[in-house]
Amino acid sequence: MLQRLYYQQKFRYSEFAPLFKAYRGKEYVALDLETTSLNTKQADIVSMGAVLIRENRILASQSFELKVLPTHKLAGDSIKVHRLRHSDLQEGCPIEQALPRLLQFIGPRPIVGYNIAYDQRIINRHCKQLYGFRLLNPLIDVGRMFADKVHVDHVGISPNQDLTHICRSLSIPLSGRHQAIDDAITAAMIYLRLRFGPRPTTALPKAISA
């Protein structure tokens, strides 16, 4: 609360002022980033994907997709995951231009995603370095949401939160894995299914289903 008030005052004349408004709307933003590594202290963003959720609908026509000009950190290991090479990103935006556009799209809305704290940490690191703030948006992790809702017969065993397992359990198609916009849409579908659909009852912990 105090942090929000501080940012509201500090950035009241900035283009980032809308980020720090208290949000009471019914929209959410599903988000995914593809990056150069899993180390949140070092990873650079190579692509961004986001889509708007309004009540129980995914507004595919209101999506955000952007490639980011690569740095020297883009190397073989991460390329194997997201399949974006230096040559694929030469038309991308510098992070200094890409990040404000993403933040404008997100606004003050809650952010939905799979392992979304990872994405938030990377965005926060860049925001802190470039602008001196961090995001205050509420986060909704669909993996955690699945774990909270899925029926588990055996007390003490944590539900399997692997994305493939979640999608299979909820009969959600998993396509374009590690493509930012596709992963954002997948997270949005999981969120809506868990929020508005019946409680999952067939998903079992990996240790039991194996």
Side-chain angles (χ1 to χ4, degrees):
M1 183 65 178
L2 291 178
Q3 186 77 73
R4 185 178 300 280
L5 292 174
Y6 172 71
Y7 284 163
Q8 286 175 346
Q9 179 67 18
K10 182 176 180 179
F11 296 100
R12 63 188 184 281
Y13 301 123
S14 160
E15 63 178 307
F16 303 116
L19 292 174
F20 309 116
K21 292 180 178 177
Y23 185 70
R24 297 182 178 84
K26 297 181 179 180
E27 294 182 345
Y28 300 77
V29 173
L31 170 72
D32 185 75
L33 304 176
E34 295 301 323
T35 63
T36 56
S37 81
L38 296 177
N39 185 337
T40 58
K41 295 181 179 178
Q42 299 179 358
D44 283 340
I45 301 170
V46 297
S47 68
M48 307 166 167
V51 65
L52 201 62
I53 303 169
R54 181 176 296 153
E55 298 183 336
N56 62 347
R57 294 182 298 142
I58 298 171
L59 304 184
S61 61
Q62 297 186 40
S63 61
F64 178 92
E65 186 175 14
L66 198 62
K67 293 177 180 176
V68 180
L69 201 62
T71 68
H72 69 281
K73 296 178 185 177
L74 180 61
D77 288 346
S78 69
I79 293 174
K80 290 178 183 176
V81 175
H82 49 62
R83 299 184 295 280
L84 291 171
R85 304 160 299 175
H86 281 266
S87 58
D88 299 317
L89 299 169
Q90 289 309 304
E91 302 298 322
C93 285
I95 188 65
E96 293 83 358
Q97 296 178 16
L99 196 55
R101 293 171 62 180
L102 176 64
L103 297 177
Q104 183 180 30
F105 184 86
I106 295 174
R109 305 176 184 91
I111 302 173
V112 174
Y114 178 76
N115 194 19
I116 193 62
Y118 165 82
D119 303 82
Q120 183 207 37
R121 288 191 192 103
I122 294 175
I123 291 174
N124 279 345
R125 198 187 86 235
H126 286 293
C127 284
K128 196 69 178 176
Q129 291 172 350
L130 292 170
Y131 316 120
F133 64 76
R134 61 183 179 85
L135 293 183
L136 301 179
N137 305 54
L139 299 182
I140 300 174
D141 189 289
V142 295
R144 183 68 256 170
M145 194 175 177
F146 176 82
D148 290 340
K149 285 183 173 286
V150 70
H151 173 74
V152 178
D153 291 326
H154 298 259
V155 175
I157 297 179
S158 298
N160 183 355
Q161 296 182 43
D162 176 76
L163 183 61
T164 302
H165 174 79
I166 293 173
C167 288
R168 188 177 299 146
S169 300
L170 302 176
S171 300
I172 290 174
L174 181 57
S175 61
R177 186 83 191 270
H178 298 301
Q179 303 300 306
I181 186 62
D182 290 336
D183 284 351
I185 291 172
T186 297
M189 289 192 291
I190 295 172
Y191 170 76
L192 292 180
R193 166 63 179 81
L194 290 173
R195 181 171 176 186
F196 297 104
R199 182 183 179 187
T201 56
T202 58
L204 295 175
K206 191 173 184 179
I208 294 176
S209 59

